Amino acid sequence: MQIDRTNCMEIILQEFPAFRPRWDEHLKSWSPVIARPVALDIAEFSDFALELIQNGTNAEIERLSTTIERMLVEGDSIVNYTFRVLFLKKIANARKKNRIQIDRFIAKLQPISDYYCQSLDIFWGEDIPMVITDDEA
């Protein structure tokens, strides 16, 4: 089953039940005049994920890594793109502020996530930096 806008957040809520109260507040704040862009939903989850990276257990960090990998591998083009560009970039920006905690997550990145981080670094032509070098490991 491919992950798309209709099931993306359901999967995330199954994996991270602690996200539910925040998700419910997010839904209340949305006006139903037009369809809610999936990027807004993923942005809300990204903020939750950053808090989880800061304060979560190693098991939660691993589950987050696995979930992100799943979104990148099984996600349709919209879900994949949004996780690549929005989620990973937000993590990269947070790394500039709190490297120790973010590196705990980066160290657990799975192959596709790691590949996209390297590709984004080349594309943006900047030091994101999302890849831990041998010197940093």
Side-chain angles (χ1 to χ4, degrees), residues 32 41 63-64 91:
D41 296 345
R63 190 166 71 246
L64 179 61
I91 297 295

Side-chain angles (χ1 to χ4, degrees), residues 24-96:
D24 290 342
E25 285 301 311
H26 172 69
L27 292 179
K28 284 181 196 175
S29 71
W30 185 253
S31 172
V33 176
I34 59 171
R36 193 178 60 256
V38 72
L40 289 179
D41 296 345
I42 294 172
E44 189 67 34
F45 177 68
S46 298
D47 292 339
F48 171 84
L50 282 171
E51 292 169 14
L52 185 69
I53 291 167
Q54 300 288 333
N55 306 311
T57 65
N58 282 335
E60 291 170 320
I61 303 300
E62 291 214 16
R63 190 166 71 246
L64 179 61
S65 175
T66 300
T67 302
I68 300 312
E69 187 79 357
R70 183 174 178 201
M71 294 296 159
L72 293 172
V73 172
E74 297 175 31
D76 68 5
S77 61
I78 293 169
V79 170
N80 177 288
Y81 178 82
T82 307
F83 269 94
R84 276 186 291 135
V85 175
L86 189 146
F87 184 89
L88 293 176
K89 181 65 172 173
K90 191 173 266 200
I91 297 295
N93 289 339
R95 187 176 191 240
K96 294 175 185 176

